[in-house]
Amino acid sequence: NEDVHLHVVDLSEPTQIKTFAMDFKKSHKKLDILVNNAAVMPNELRITSGGLESAFATNLVGFYGLTKELGPILSGGRIVNVVSGGMFASKLHIPSIHKKDESQYSGLELYSQHHRGRVILTEYFAKTLKGVSVNSVHPGWVDTPGLAGASDMAGFYRVMRKWLRSEAEGADTVLWLAIAERAKKFTGRYFFDRRPRSTHKWFAGTKSPAHDVQRLVEMCDEAYG
């Protein structure tokens, strides 16, 4: 298909995001749909060329930066942010989202924290990007190479593999939010299987005060530059 164009961008590197966004906006005056899907769960501590821990850089800073860059050409469009149900296990803890201590490093713990942060940033962008529908979605537990290769999830993958969703099943609600007419009316919501859901379990204690939300935005903005 001559209308499909591939742009390779390392979302852990803000300079690459800025270069891509600048070039894209020069040739495209409008964007209809942005799906933020990229996320990582490293098995070990990795530092980017900019000095950021790689999961924080990809899962939050790159996520924030790409949305911020493309927001101005998304008027009337939609943003679909893919998140993990692992976020239900976490309350946002600002000191924990950017760990650079190798002895205490846990990709799984960071992944949960970062996806809680992605849900919070979805709500933030839903308020600040006027005329744009911004929602998050958990695709369900999907059998992907990323899950299969995550050492922290080895036990889960071994036991649950035969019940995991296919990639097509996981993509269903992502695509529905991106193109369905009925989905256009929603913004700032979290979805699972085409239905809006609560972002917190009862009595889980995972809700964040406003100052933590603001600090998350500031951290992403400062790291993005």
Side-chain angles (χ1 to χ4, degrees):
N1 188 329
E2 294 180 357
D3 293 325
V4 176
H5 303 278
L6 175 66
H7 302 269
V8 179
V9 185
D10 185 342
L11 291 183
S12 72
E13 298 287 349
T15 54
Q16 289 195 32
I17 298 172
K18 291 173 185 177
T19 299
F20 159 72
M22 181 175 64
D23 292 343
F24 187 86
K25 287 186 284 189
K26 282 180 181 177
S27 57
H28 299 79
K29 302 303 180 186
K30 179 172 172 53
L31 177 63
D32 296 305
I33 302 164
L34 171 63
V35 177
N36 283 311
N37 182 52
V40 296
M41 187 194 301
N43 294 324
E44 59 187 10
L45 175 65
R46 297 172 190 162
I47 304 298
T48 69
S49 64
L52 300 175
E53 186 274 318
S54 62
F56 172 68
T58 305
N59 300 345
L60 289 175
V61 179
F63 170 93
Y64 171 89
L66 186 62
T67 305
K68 178 182 176 182
E69 294 284 1
L70 298 179
I73 61 171
L74 270 159
S75 180
R78 308 186 199 189
I79 299 174
V80 182
N81 295 326
V82 181
V83 301
S84 169
M87 63 96 179
F88 283 112
S90 292
K91 176 181 179 179
L92 183 69
H93 184 238
I94 293 297
S96 299
I97 63 174
H98 189 204
K99 279 190 175 179
K100 298 169 84 172
D101 183 348
E102 192 165 11
S103 66
Q104 299 181 10
Y105 190 83
S106 168
L108 179 60
E109 179 185 325
L110 285 175
Y111 197 74
S112 178
Q113 280 281 321
H114 292 166
H115 281 269
R116 171 60 66 188
R118 286 162 77 107
V119 169
I120 291 171
L121 288 174
T122 296
E123 295 166 351
Y124 167 78
F125 280 120
K127 293 175 183 176
T128 57
L129 292 177
K130 303 304 181 184
V132 183
S133 171
V134 189
N135 294 289
S136 62
V137 53
H138 172 39
W141 294 104
V142 181
D143 191 354
T144 64
L147 179 59
S151 59
D152 285 342
M153 298 291 287
F156 173 87
Y157 185 75
R158 185 172 57 252
V159 172
M160 298 297 295
R161 184 176 183 181
K162 65 180 179 180
W163 290 289
L164 296 177
R165 295 183 174 191
S166 68
E167 292 178 1
E169 289 170 333
D172 177 76
T173 303
V174 177
L175 292 172
W176 181 81
L177 281 170
I179 62 176
E181 187 66 28
R182 284 191 299 143
K184 188 186 294 186
K185 65 181 179 181
F186 295 102
T187 193
R189 302 298 302 272
Y190 162 77
F191 280 79
F192 179 66
D193 287 347
R194 300 191 181 189
R195 290 176 54 195
R197 315 277 180 152
S198 172
T199 55
H200 304 276
K201 300 297 185 182
W202 285 7
F203 308 113
T206 52
K207 294 183 179 180
S208 297
H211 61 82
D212 276 356
V213 174
Q214 184 58 38
R215 183 58 189 137
L216 172 65
V217 172
E218 292 170 353
M219 284 182 70
C220 290
D221 205 51
E222 290 165 9
Y224 185 68

